[in-house]
């Protein structure tokens, strides 16, 4: 079983729509969770950290469900510039290693 | 400006010809990593380093070497490249507190083709 699994998509949505997707992780001891954004074969960049109580950053909302071992990302009022691949990232507590999902592709159309 | 630099950005080489991809960071981070990214497989860690002279294997270390003689530099060495090492490579660095506030910074990537 992969350490981090994501629905690859693509999620093809019109501008202004809401899109949400999840990722699951296998290590129940994981402590830190992140969403990174990657544009077409460029370097990944941190979008937001995910806190236990859930957190919001503008149009982006991240949720953590420890019982079911998944995190989610919701994008409201999608913009064309939100088109990207979103990487789910989990920090393993013992060796500081970050495990990456393969990414969920979102395409926002005009 | 905080950054991770990699060179070269693009490289086409032939099987068996030794090559080195350099990586440098200016944030005084202890932890540095090398990843390769292949379609459908996501980012896979090749090697990592917790600090100077401390390196360890990641998930896919075969065919690669690294060194960490200085805190800022973490070169990736392919002693005898093979076509299955054709990939997009990223160097990255971060602090090691493991906190949710830790950001991992990535270099711009090196697109390697081995013929």
């Amino acid at each position: 079983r992969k350490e981090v699994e994501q629905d690859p998509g693509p999620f093809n949505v019109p501008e202004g729509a809401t899109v949400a997707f999840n990722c699951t992780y296998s290590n129940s001891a994981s402590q830190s969770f992140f969403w990174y954004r990657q544009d077409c074969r460029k370097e990944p960049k941190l979008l937001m950290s995910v806190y236990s109580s859930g957190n919001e950053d503008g149009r982006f909302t991240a949720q953590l469900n420890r019982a079911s071992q998944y995190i989610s990302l919701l994008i409201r009022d999608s913009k064309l510039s939100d088109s990207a691949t979103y990487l789910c990232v989990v920090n393993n507590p013992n060796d500081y290693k970050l495990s990456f999902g393969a990414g969920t592709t979102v395409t926002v159309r005009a | 400006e905080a950054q991770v630099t990699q060179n070269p950005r693009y490289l086409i080489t032939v099987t068996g010809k030794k090559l080195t991809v350099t990586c440098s960071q200016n944030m005084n981070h202890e932890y540095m990593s090398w990843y390769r990214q292949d379609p459908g497989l996501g980012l896979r860690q090749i090697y990592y380093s917790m600090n100077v002279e401390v390196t360890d294997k990641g998930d896919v270390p075969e065919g690669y070497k690294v060194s960490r003689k200085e805190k800022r530099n973490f070169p990736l060495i392919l002693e005898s490249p093979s076509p299955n090492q054709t990939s997009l490579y990223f160097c990255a660095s971060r602090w090691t507190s493991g906190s949710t506030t830790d950001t991992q910074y990535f270099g711009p990537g090196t697109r390697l083709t081995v013929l």
Side-chain angles (χ1 to χ4, degrees):
Chain A
R1 183 184 173 188
K2 290 183 181 177
E3 292 182 60
V4 180
E5 297 205 54
Q6 293 184 247
D7 181 345
F11 289 79
N12 194 329
V13 300
E15 269 188 295
T18 295
V19 59
F21 41 89
N22 294 340
C23 109
T24 58
Y25 60 95
S26 61
N27 187 346
S28 61
S30 298
Q31 296 292 328
S32 303
F33 309 88
F34 310 88
W35 284 104
Y36 275 70
R37 171 194 169 123
Q38 185 176 25
D39 295 297
C40 197
R41 305 295 267 174
K42 292 191 175 179
E43 73 271 27
K45 293 183 179 178
L46 180 67
L47 177 67
M48 58 197 300
S49 301
V50 185
Y51 300 108
S52 296
S53 55
N55 49 298
E56 196 173 297
D57 183 0
R59 298 179 294 106
F60 297 84
T61 300
Q63 294 281 350
L64 167 63
N65 185 316
R66 285 192 185 274
S68 301
Q69 294 182 211
Y70 74 84
I71 66 174
S72 64
L73 182 67
L74 181 145
I75 308 173
R76 283 187 304 279
D77 188 23
S78 299
K79 312 290 184 194
L80 294 175
S81 57
D82 295 333
S83 297
T85 297
Y86 293 85
L87 306 178
C88 175
V89 185
V90 176
N91 185 5
N92 294 321
N94 296 325
D95 58 8
Y96 302 107
K97 177 186 168 187
L98 294 181
S99 296
F100 287 78
T104 297
T105 299
V106 173
T107 302
V108 182
R109 63 183 189 275
Chain B
E1 180 192 355
Q3 61 180 355
V4 180
T5 57
Q6 287 179 236
N7 283 291
R9 296 288 314 280
Y10 303 90
L11 179 60
I12 300 174
T13 189
V14 295
T15 298
K17 186 175 181 182
K18 180 179 178 180
L19 67 91
T20 299
V21 185
T22 64
C23 171
S24 184
Q25 51 97 0
N26 63 1
M27 296 164 278
N28 205 36
H29 287 158
E30 301 102 348
Y31 191 99
M32 297 186 74
S33 296
W34 275 103
Y35 297 88
R36 60 177 290 172
Q37 187 174 36
D38 303 288
L41 296 178
L43 282 157
R44 293 180 292 167
Q45 192 180 53
I46 302 170
Y47 268 94
Y48 66 96
S49 169
M50 299 283 280
N51 215 322
V52 175
E53 302 292 359
V54 181
T55 63
D56 211 343
K57 296 177 181 178
D59 299 317
V60 288
E62 295 78 21
Y64 304 94
K65 285 174 57 177
V66 293
S67 68
R68 187 94 181 271
K69 292 182 169 45
E70 304 163 286
K71 200 169 188 179
R72 63 183 291 124
N73 296 324
F74 191 45
L76 179 70
I77 303 154
L78 285 72
E79 294 271 3
S80 183
S82 62
N84 65 12
Q85 292 178 298
T86 293
S87 188
L88 178 59
Y89 291 86
F90 289 104
C91 180
S93 74
R94 56 192 277 251
W95 298 113
T96 52
S97 71
S99 155
T100 50
T101 59
D102 284 348
T103 298
Q104 176 150 286
Y105 293 86
F106 286 85
T110 295
R111 193 178 298 275
L112 173 66
T113 301
V114 183
L115 302 173

